[in-house]
Amino acid sequence: MNRVEGILWAALSSSTFGLAPLFTLLLIGAGYSSFEVLTYRWGVASLCLAAYGVATGCSFRLCGRQLGTVFLLSLFRAATSLSLVIAYQNIASGMASTIHFMYPLVVALAMMCFFRERGSVWTFAAVGLSIVGAVLLSQGNAGFARGNTTLGIVSSVVAYGGYIVGVSKSRAVEIDSTVLTCYVMAFGALMFIVGGCFTGGIRLETDPHTWLYILGIALPATAVSNMALVRAIKCIGPTLTSILGAMEPLTAVVIGVWVFGEPFTAQGAGGILLIVAAVTTVVLHSRRA
């Protein structure tokens, strides 16, 4: 039952994560900066999770070492979000989300390098396959690109992989999922507020229509998805959680093509298939091992 529960949490997490590009681009289209989008996203989500935690009797008391661990995890998570928002503004959102989906390879490599998890030729073959897939995906969407965000999207992949490994292999695993996610988001919101203050400020939104976008990115695409992610990692581990994240790029690609008119070429489709195949290969092999 624990395994089934973990699979369901992972599926919920990945599918709701896939909604993030939609609401992010809608807010950017309304004139929001990257820091404003992320301030509202993380701030509103942390407040909602805090209210939920209090209502369900969660204890938010953490010791000093736990707070330090959570703060470090929030740095990884904040770097992931900022890199992705910048990528959404310069390349197709479906392409950015698909390349971001390569994070399970980072998880597998980190587990091999730092936690002595046995490696194999399958892992390195999958890394090569995913790189080929990313190149094809980039070529297939070259006409939609508005800038070079290679470093940013790579940073997103590495930071998110580090966050998943950190949740699984640190004191964070002892913290309630709601409490951990709430603290990570609250720390992230504070970082983005500081960033916003140095880049034009943070507006106080009063338009009800815009608030629908804010609630969309803060609740299903952030609060629900992040809490479900932590629950999944605790139930089935970081490796298996990663494979079920395939719904995230697929959701993002469908939304990108349908809502924003992003291109969907044969090269792009081939790149998506190669990346998904690479991630599936390494995760399934790791699971058997």
Side-chain angles (χ1 to χ4, degrees), residues 136-159:
L136 284 177
L137 187 60
S138 300
Q139 292 177 346
N141 290 268
F144 197 83
R146 292 180 289 270
N148 187 352
T149 59
T150 302
L151 179 60
I153 198 65
V154 170
S155 300
S156 168
V157 175
V158 173

Side-chain angles (χ1 to χ4, degrees), residues 17-178:
F17 264 132
L19 297 173
L22 170 64
F23 295 110
T24 296
L25 290 174
L26 288 174
L27 285 171
I28 289 174
Y32 273 59
S33 68
S34 299
F35 285 112
E36 285 180 310
V37 171
L38 294 171
T39 294
Y40 275 104
R41 178 181 183 181
W42 295 103
V44 173
S46 63
L47 291 175
C48 292
L49 280 176
Y52 174 78
V54 171
T56 55
C58 294
S59 173
F60 285 84
R61 181 176 298 175
L62 300 180
C63 67
R65 291 184 176 180
Q66 287 177 321
L67 276 174
T69 299
V70 172
F71 180 75
L72 289 176
L73 289 174
S74 69
L75 291 176
F76 281 97
R77 198 65 188 86
T80 302
S81 292
L82 183 59
S83 299
L84 274 175
V85 170
I86 294 173
Y88 293 153
Q89 297 176 70
N90 291 278
I91 60 177
S93 60
M95 173 184 169
S97 296
T98 303
I99 295 177
H100 174 68
F101 180 62
M102 291 165 60
Y103 69 83
L105 303 177
V106 174
V107 171
L109 292 174
M111 297 296 284
M112 288 166 47
C113 295
F114 301 108
F115 299 99
R116 298 183 179 179
E117 189 172 281
R118 180 178 296 180
S120 72
V121 67
W122 290 101
T123 300
F124 297 105
V127 171
L129 194 64
S130 67
I131 292 174
V132 174
V135 171
L136 284 177
L137 187 60
S138 300
Q139 292 177 346
N141 290 268
F144 197 83
R146 292 180 289 270
N148 187 352
T149 59
T150 302
L151 179 60
I153 198 65
V154 170
S155 300
S156 168
V157 175
V158 173
Y160 195 55
Y163 174 74
I164 290 182
V165 173
V167 169
S168 177
K169 296 295 183 179
S170 69
R171 295 183 180 88
V173 76
E174 305 168 355
I175 305 172
D176 178 82
S177 302
T178 302

